[in-house]
Amino acid sequence: MNAPPLAAAAEVDAVVVGSGPVGLFQVFQLGLLGIHSHVLECLPHPGGQCTELYPDKPIYDIPAVTVCTGHELTQRLLQQIAPFHASMHFGHEVRTLTRQADRRFLIETSQGLQLVTKTVFIAAGVGAFKPRTLPISGLESFTGSQVFYAGEPTSTFAGQQVVVVGGDDAALQQALQLCHGNDDNSSHKAASVTLLHRRDVLQATDERVQRMHALCASGTMRFMVGQITGLTESEGKLTHIEVLGVDGLSLNVPLNTLSVQLGLSPKLGPIADWGLAMERRQLQVDAEHFSTSEPGIFAVGDINTYPGKKKLILCGFHEATLAAYAAAEYVFPDKRLPVQYTTTSPSLQQLLGVASRMD
Amino acid sequence: MNAPPLAAAAEVDAVVVGSGPVGLFQVFQLGLLGIHSHVLECLPHPGGQCTELYPDKPIYDIPAVTVCTGHELTQRLLQQIAPFHASMHFGHEVRTLTRQADRRFLIETSQGLQLVTKTVFIAAGVGAFKPRTLPISGLESFTGSQVFYAGEPTSTFAGQQVVVVGGDDAALQQALQLCHGNDDNSSHKAASVTLLHRRDVLQATDERVQRMHALCASGTMRFMVGQITGLTESEGKLTHIEVLGVDGLSLNVPLNTLSVQLGLSPKLGPIADWGLAMERRQLQVDAEHFSTSEPGIFAVGDINTYPGKKKLILCGFHEATLAAYAAAEYVFPDKRLPVQYTTTSPSLQQLLGVASRMD
């Protein structure tokens, strides 16, 4: 990791790990207390499980919101926290978290960002969403040169012999794009496209499946049913993958680029190594401050556990609120912060950037 | 109290006391667990403090609702709980609550309604909103015959010598109406209208104040500044009130009807007499079940207290949720109710009356 030297670390008051609904609302409650947040999110966008697992599915139990999708909930919360101008760091996974001599925490991210913070809020849900990988020995060393995961631009595959692994909409969409080139740029066509899935039933829209079959019929795409069992390399290059078909026969498939489109799966990641008290992979907190076993580190939302815990978004909103008040004692040790109401407090309304409505 | 005999008491699973936002959301969470609620509300309408204290003022800290008024929040929650068809009992104040031999509770209301219930949820906020009264000895005995409070129909005052006490919009609106009769029925005009306020500054819209001054100028209305200090009765009838003016002089004002329009003030009322553990007029609960000291009676929202308690609506939503799960053990002692998600559970979606969206 080419992290900048420690002297370059930014000194901040609060770091929120995760940008799902509870992480976003944590920013809001901290903002109302006058605390600016830095948010670390391993994905390139906010929303957490709402965005990864059910962006288009309805949620009915957000209080006072009869129905909204995961995407809509995220958008509503982003709008609500906008007045607080949180520093959003997308594509950053927390790698290390270390208590300093001055009792603050040094956080280093996967992109080398260093933050020295008074408080940490772990709102990481079920963990960081990472692309599912293939358990093939030796494959990892080609990541970024010949093996790619979700989010890679089409241009990477231009002119290549590509094998796309997967059977859902994302996999089919990419395979179809590589046959045609990008909408804007047909030079992004791959030299050859093979779609490889472990069974012959695809979990994609009928329209995409039909287009795929048509391309296979015309010889533009190849569809294989089987599983990768090994690889061949030559002079430091990946040249073939070994595919075990449903007929029990193995084939060596030549390629120079492998696109793994097996979706995302959550991983607790380094959080499990920070020495915080845990119970069944949840962080233990108290129901008064939502503090972990490490003073200054709070845990809110699906990642925490306490007596009575229910993994519901609305409970996470409450947890983030009480955690914010508890954290204020670390950020402003000499100030007592009573509860104020957004309906009546001119200072909260100033923070929110809304004109005080006098009656 | 002319309550029906005990045999007529309806047997129910859950009684929610109060219909503020937290009481309404209590109905929602109970509904998701398959428990039907009876709601007792002392006012003629739902909303609690949201409706009484800030119907038109903006609230900014309901998660995922950037801004809404107290009235709008109430409407949103009423819409959200509509699928559960709660039995709403408006104008009912709980008078007595008694544990029966079978461990259920017998509740009797001010209107004589009797309910035998397995669980009780006290969501009474700062208490029941009651009209502010005048501390004048002997006045109470005329309540309902010659002394009236908020909500009385105009027809009550038709043809009467009326004194309206108060200086806000509600008081002015009534005084103006009594000068003109009802919009639909000019026979509802009073014989004479006196507006009495303790000072000469009125807290009402300019338009109403101007109309009042015009009516005073034309001799249709009389405006007095002063305070009621006593009354005169004759043959069991209230005939005069004694008004102490700002000049230090007392006047005897003849009347046959007194309309007290001094707004509402919350009173904890009989709840304080139920033997539940309290701390500074809040009901003590645990943060796991939000149970009071009496098993089966829960307290949620502003009326409860526990370590870390913040009097915020969003916290009440969480409390109502955990209380609902805890209460389910009383309603369904043999059933284990795991957390289900409205996004994915067909049985919850059936309860909500929404078609399951398949993907």
Side-chain angles (χ1 to χ4, degrees):
Chain A
M1 185 169 33
N2 291 318
L6 185 58
E11 303 194 2
V12 305
D13 287 333
V15 170
V16 179
V17 181
S19 70
V22 177
L24 296 178
F25 197 67
Q26 186 68 68
V27 168
F28 183 81
Q29 286 293 345
L30 288 168
L32 284 182
L33 293 172
I35 301 170
H36 176 260
S37 299
H38 285 253
V39 179
L40 302 176
E41 168 60 58
C42 65
L43 291 178
H45 48 252
Q49 294 177 66
C50 281
T51 300
E52 298 316 308
L53 303 184
Y54 45 92
D56 302 320
K57 290 192 182 160
I59 311 170
Y60 298 99
D61 64 345
I62 304 298
V65 180
T66 304
V67 59
C68 70
T69 65
H71 175 74
E72 287 163 354
L73 179 64
T74 304
Q75 293 306 308
R76 284 166 166 271
L77 287 162
L78 287 171
Q79 186 192 348
Q80 193 165 32
I81 70 173
F84 299 119
H85 305 290
S87 302
M88 308 295 286
H89 304 280
F90 293 112
H92 285 257
E93 192 190 358
V94 178
R95 279 286 159 83
T96 62
L97 179 152
T98 326
R99 174 83 80 173
Q100 297 194 141
D102 65 3
R103 308 224 16 98
R104 291 184 301 171
F105 301 96
L106 170 63
I107 284 180
E108 299 187 291
T109 77
S110 51
Q111 290 193 36
L113 176 69
Q114 292 192 327
L115 297 171
V116 173
T117 182
K118 293 175 185 161
T119 60
V120 179
F121 300 81
I122 305 176
V126 289
F129 280 93
K130 302 280 193 84
R132 280 202 186 79
T133 54
L134 288 164
I136 308 297
S137 170
L139 197 68
E140 203 186 335
S141 62
F142 297 104
T143 300
S145 60
Q146 290 184 274
V147 177
F148 301 94
Y149 297 91
E152 196 64 23
T154 320
S155 57
T156 303
F157 306 98
Q160 305 296 313
Q161 288 180 289
V162 184
V163 174
V164 177
V165 185
D168 66 1
D169 268 311
L172 254 75
Q173 182 178 21
Q174 188 181 48
L176 293 169
Q177 272 183 349
L178 295 179
C179 289
H180 292 296
N182 206 338
D183 283 346
D184 300 328
N185 195 340
S186 66
S187 72
H188 282 179
K189 273 171 74 168
S192 73
V193 178
T194 302
L195 180 69
L196 171 63
H197 188 45
R198 61 188 162 78
R199 56 199 196 109
D200 61 2
V201 180
L202 298 164
Q203 294 195 300
T205 61
D206 287 348
E207 186 259 341
R208 285 208 176 98
V209 173
Q210 283 168 20
R211 282 174 58 201
M212 182 208 85
H213 284 307
L215 287 167
C216 288
S218 67
T220 312
M221 191 193 294
R222 183 181 179 192
F223 179 51
M224 294 181 71
V225 178
Q227 288 193 295
I228 302 180
T229 49
L231 57 85
T232 308
E233 58 178 292
S234 171
E235 296 176 0
K237 291 272 183 190
L238 174 66
T239 60
H240 295 78
I241 50 170
E242 184 182 74
V243 175
L244 175 65
V246 281
D247 52 8
L249 296 178
S250 274
L251 271 179
N252 263 331
V253 180
L255 82 170
N256 43 33
T257 304
L258 182 68
S259 176
V260 182
Q261 298 290 334
L262 296 172
L264 301 174
S265 89
K267 301 240 183 289
L268 199 51
I271 290 170
D273 307 325
W274 293 344
L276 304 173
M278 303 191 77
E279 183 188 330
R280 295 188 186 179
R281 300 183 67 71
Q282 313 291 315
L283 295 169
Q284 289 180 326
V285 295
D286 68 284
E288 180 175 352
H289 311 99
F290 297 94
S291 171
T292 67
S293 57
E294 193 70 26
I297 304 183
F298 302 85
V300 292
D302 284 0
I303 204 164
N304 78 12
T305 187
Y306 55 88
K309 170 73 179 183
K310 301 292 172 199
K311 287 193 179 186
L312 293 168
I313 296 171
L314 74 98
C315 295
F317 292 149
H318 163 84
E319 296 160 16
T321 304
L322 266 52
Y325 278 95
E329 294 179 18
Y330 292 84
V331 180
F332 307 117
D334 304 324
K335 223 158 92 176
R336 211 179 117 58
L337 290 169
V339 172
Q340 294 184 78
Y341 293 95
T342 60
T343 300
T344 49
S345 161
S347 66
L348 291 190
Q349 290 170 357
Q350 196 175 0
L351 285 168
L352 287 161
V354 291
S356 175
R357 299 193 205 171
M358 304 294 284
D359 267 81
Chain B
M1 184 168 35
N2 292 318
L6 185 58
E11 303 196 1
V12 306
D13 287 333
V15 170
V16 179
V17 180
S19 70
V22 176
L24 296 179
F25 197 67
Q26 186 68 67
V27 168
F28 183 81
Q29 286 293 346
L30 288 168
L32 284 182
L33 294 172
I35 300 170
H36 176 260
S37 299
H38 285 253
V39 179
L40 302 177
E41 168 59 58
C42 65
L43 291 179
H45 48 252
Q49 292 176 67
C50 281
T51 300
E52 297 318 307
L53 303 183
Y54 43 94
D56 302 320
K57 291 192 182 159
I59 311 170
Y60 298 98
D61 64 346
I62 304 299
V65 179
T66 304
V67 59
C68 69
T69 65
H71 175 74
E72 288 162 354
L73 180 63
T74 304
Q75 293 306 309
R76 284 166 165 271
L77 287 163
L78 286 171
Q79 186 191 349
Q80 192 163 32
I81 70 173
F84 300 119
H85 305 289
S87 303
M88 308 294 286
H89 304 280
F90 293 112
H92 285 256
E93 192 190 357
V94 179
R95 280 285 160 84
T96 62
L97 180 152
T98 326
R99 174 83 82 173
Q100 297 193 141
D102 65 3
R103 310 230 5 105
R104 293 184 299 172
F105 302 96
L106 170 63
I107 284 179
E108 299 187 291
T109 77
S110 51
Q111 291 193 35
L113 177 69
Q114 293 192 327
L115 297 171
V116 174
T117 182
K118 293 175 183 163
T119 60
V120 179
F121 300 81
I122 304 175
V126 288
F129 280 94
K130 301 279 193 86
R132 281 203 185 80
T133 53
L134 287 164
I136 307 298
S137 170
L139 198 68
E140 204 186 334
S141 62
F142 297 104
T143 300
S145 60
Q146 289 184 273
V147 177
F148 301 95
Y149 296 91
E152 196 63 25
T154 320
S155 57
T156 303
F157 306 97
Q160 305 296 313
Q161 286 179 292
V162 184
V163 174
V164 177
V165 184
D168 66 0
D169 268 311
L172 254 74
Q173 182 178 21
Q174 187 180 49
L176 294 169
Q177 272 184 348
L178 295 180
C179 288
H180 292 298
N182 206 340
D183 283 348
D184 300 328
N185 196 340
S186 67
S187 72
H188 284 178
K189 275 170 73 166
S192 73
V193 179
T194 303
L195 180 69
L196 172 63
H197 187 46
R198 62 189 161 76
R199 56 199 195 108
D200 60 2
V201 180
L202 298 164
Q203 293 195 303
T205 61
D206 288 347
E207 186 258 342
R208 285 209 177 97
V209 174
Q210 282 168 21
R211 282 175 59 201
M212 182 207 84
H213 284 307
L215 286 167
C216 289
S218 68
T220 312
M221 191 192 296
R222 180 181 180 191
F223 178 51
M224 294 181 71
V225 178
Q227 288 192 295
I228 301 182
T229 50
L231 57 85
T232 308
E233 57 178 292
S234 171
E235 296 175 2
K237 291 269 180 190
L238 175 66
T239 59
H240 294 80
I241 50 171
E242 185 182 71
V243 175
L244 176 65
V246 283
D247 51 8
L249 297 179
S250 274
L251 271 179
N252 263 331
V253 180
L255 82 170
N256 44 33
T257 306
L258 182 68
S259 175
V260 182
Q261 299 289 335
L262 295 171
L264 300 174
S265 89
K267 299 240 182 291
L268 199 52
I271 291 170
D273 306 326
W274 294 344
L276 304 173
M278 302 192 77
E279 182 188 333
R280 294 186 187 181
R281 299 184 66 74
Q282 313 290 314
L283 295 168
Q284 288 180 328
V285 296
D286 67 285
E288 180 176 351
H289 311 100
F290 297 94
S291 171
T292 66
S293 57
E294 193 69 27
I297 304 183
F298 302 85
V300 292
D302 283 1
I303 203 163
N304 78 12
T305 187
Y306 55 89
K309 169 73 180 183
K310 301 292 172 200
K311 286 192 181 185
L312 293 168
I313 296 171
L314 74 99
C315 295
F317 292 149
H318 163 84
E319 296 160 17
T321 304
L322 268 52
Y325 277 96
E329 294 179 19
Y330 291 84
V331 180
F332 307 118
D334 304 325
K335 223 157 94 175
R336 212 180 117 58
L337 290 169
V339 171
Q340 295 184 77
Y341 293 96
T342 59
T343 300
T344 50
S345 161
S347 66
L348 291 191
Q349 290 170 358
Q350 197 175 358
L351 284 168
L352 287 161
V354 292
S356 177
R357 299 193 206 172
M358 302 295 284
D359 267 84

